[in-house]
Amino acid sequence: MNSKGKILVTGGTGFIGSHTTVELIQQGYEVVIIDNLSNSEEFVIDRIEQITGIRPKFYEFDLLDFNKLDSFFKENSNLVGVIHFAAAKAVGESVQIPLHYYRNNLVTMVNLLELMIKYKVTNFVFSSSCTVYGQPDELPVTENAPVKPAESPYGYTKQVNENILKDTIHSGADIKGIALRYFNPIGAHHSGLIGELPRGVPSNLMPFITQTANGLREQLSVFGDDYTTPDGSCIRDYIHVVDLAKAHIVAIERLIYAKNKNNYEMFNIGTGNGFSVFEVIKSFEKSTGKKLNYKVVARRAGDIEQIWADTTIANQELGWKAEKTLDEMTLSAWQWEQKYRAK
Ligand code: WQD
């Protein structure tokens, strides 16, 4: 079968990158991955092959290495686009080692864009985040809401990278770009072969829940039940990672087939529904039949109270809509956890 085109996925062995690679391959694209395996495992490449029947070409190196990246672009001269996931993403860690975050997340962005211009690769999809909104004044939050001062160096790198992309496009460089502002991706591929694989103690809710349910952690701490939300816990817009992955296909195709040059856009990628921490726990218990050991503790520093997306623009412009329910998300996360630990 002829490929629809070759796409570079940076961070393709990570959580969202691996699910997006699967969708791209299943849609007929050829995928090449660059990943330094700093927060992911090489076996993910085998798993992608198991799911799709096609093994993506894998380059293990760091995007900070400009010369290696230059050689990569020279060798892969026919790329139709780049989807850029590779980044450090731990909010707390970014406060401890900000310079690592600034070098790692910002310089890699600059390297990629410079070489895309040099090698005339025009289409760029960037992994951004709802973190750019901070605590929005109005909910649901639209793309036109103001970007608030970042709460962490990590969050700041997302804001700066959006600007780097926008400024590059507006400078007249032959680049078109879309920033996808993800809400809270959870869940796993229905095969149970790929999923979220945090190193050490998870800081995010879903992996902490699944690891508690299978006995790796003793108890889940619910960070605060005294917020001004209906049940007192924080509210987020959780989105199934496969729905999120599919948004990247429509985004890159929008760029590939776009007539207008020098176009920069950003879209909210969520479901449009907010769920509280207690609702996520209830969904997990219902969908899996497992009782979860949890207790309420103090609020976590830096948490915003509530956020969920207005997805009208993404739905209309991209013709994309998240489909999976919270129960499907929590169940798939559990199936992945069980299958992975049983190996
Ligand atoms: C969700 C809710 C916690 C853990 C994440 C990323 C951030 C950004 C956006 C990309 C909150 C509560 C959590 C636990 C809990 N992603 N919680 N007990 O903070 O919304 O941000 O998505 O840019 O990088 O970190 O996600 O999963 O950490 O928390 O009660 O053990 O669960 O307080 O309300 P968050 P999260």
Side-chain angles (χ1 to χ4, degrees):
M1 193 180 73
N2 277 339
S3 139
K4 280 192 190 167
K6 195 198 279 192
I7 294 180
L8 164 60
V9 176
T10 75
T13 57
F15 177 39
I16 309 173
S18 58
H19 287 82
T20 302
T21 296
V22 165
E23 296 301 316
L24 283 167
I25 293 173
Q26 289 179 336
Q27 289 300 314
Y29 290 94
E30 180 185 350
V31 177
V32 279
I33 290 174
I34 301 176
D35 202 307
N36 66 359
L37 299 178
S38 61
N39 193 25
S40 59
E41 306 293 334
E42 195 167 355
F43 75 75
V44 171
I45 301 287
D46 302 331
R47 301 288 179 89
I48 292 169
E49 183 179 10
Q50 255 177 283
I51 296 169
T52 64
I54 293 172
R55 191 174 184 82
K57 194 158 182 199
F58 173 51
Y59 293 78
E60 184 186 342
F61 68 90
D62 198 313
L63 295 171
L64 286 171
D65 189 333
F66 189 85
N67 291 333
K68 271 205 184 127
L69 192 55
D70 190 298
S71 307
F72 168 88
F73 273 93
K74 208 174 283 167
E75 203 176 306
N76 292 275
S77 57
N78 50 349
L79 292 171
V80 296
V82 175
I83 306 181
H84 179 38
F85 295 102
K89 61 165 188 178
V91 176
E93 183 187 63
S94 78
V95 178
Q96 308 301 321
I97 46 172
L99 294 179
H100 173 73
Y101 274 70
Y102 289 131
R103 181 190 294 278
N104 197 65
N105 292 5
L106 303 181
V107 177
T108 53
M109 182 82 173
V110 173
N111 286 351
L112 270 173
L113 286 169
E114 281 187 345
L115 288 167
M116 285 176 68
I117 293 168
K118 177 172 173 188
Y119 288 96
K120 303 195 186 330
V121 181
T122 51
N123 302 309
F124 190 92
V125 176
F126 173 60
S127 292
S128 191
S129 167
C130 69
T131 189
V132 301
Y133 299 120
Q135 177 61 64
D137 301 324
E138 283 171 39
L139 288 168
V141 66
T142 75
E143 287 82 349
N144 301 316
V147 165
K148 293 269 178 80
E151 297 274 350
S152 68
Y154 161 75
Y156 191 51
T157 67
K158 291 294 174 193
Q159 298 184 354
V160 174
N161 273 340
E162 283 197 358
N163 286 332
I164 290 175
L165 179 58
K166 185 170 63 191
D167 292 345
T168 305
I169 290 166
H170 289 165
S171 74
D174 194 5
I175 299 268
K176 289 169 283 175
I178 291 179
L180 298 179
R181 292 175 169 170
Y182 312 152
F183 283 68
N184 286 52
I186 60 170
H189 194 262
H190 61 82
S191 63
L193 289 168
I194 52 174
E196 194 169 5
L197 203 52
R199 291 205 170 146
V201 182
S203 55
N204 296 115
L205 179 62
M206 200 63 234
F208 209 103
I209 288 178
T210 57
Q211 291 194 12
T212 305
N214 79 5
L216 278 173
R217 313 280 155 212
E218 205 180 308
Q219 191 171 50
L220 168 75
S221 296
V222 174
F223 298 136
D225 67 351
D226 55 354
Y227 287 95
T228 60
T229 55
D231 68 18
S233 64
C234 292
I235 295 177
R236 299 286 183 273
D237 186 336
Y238 296 93
I239 174 167
H240 196 293
V241 66
V242 173
D243 279 335
L244 175 60
K246 287 178 177 163
H248 294 78
I249 316 297
V250 291
I252 197 78
E253 292 189 340
R254 181 176 174 90
L255 294 172
I256 293 171
Y257 300 114
K259 305 221 166 29
N260 45 340
K261 298 235 158 166
N262 302 119
N263 203 17
Y264 169 73
E265 297 172 301
M266 67 271 190
F267 296 104
N268 283 346
I269 304 297
T271 65
N273 303 311
F275 287 102
S276 72
V277 177
F278 289 125
E279 285 174 319
V280 175
I281 293 171
K282 277 194 205 100
S283 162
F284 180 84
E285 291 185 331
K286 181 174 135 223
S287 67
T288 67
K290 297 276 298 180
K291 215 71 215 114
L292 201 66
N293 180 20
Y294 68 89
K295 71 159 188 259
V296 176
V297 300
R299 293 181 180 194
R300 180 172 71 177
D303 267 341
I304 58 153
E305 181 171 276
Q306 47 186 325
I307 186 166
W308 65 94
D310 186 322
T311 60
T312 312
I313 297 179
N315 298 159
Q316 285 174 356
E317 291 295 315
L318 296 176
W320 165 92
K321 200 171 180 358
E323 286 166 358
K324 296 195 189 294
T325 63
L326 183 62
D327 289 351
E328 289 173 294
M329 300 181 213
T330 53
L331 179 60
S332 66
W334 175 237
Q335 287 168 337
W336 150 249
E337 177 76 31
Q338 279 180 303
K339 193 160 177 167
Y340 176 68
R341 302 294 165 194
K343 77 179 171 169

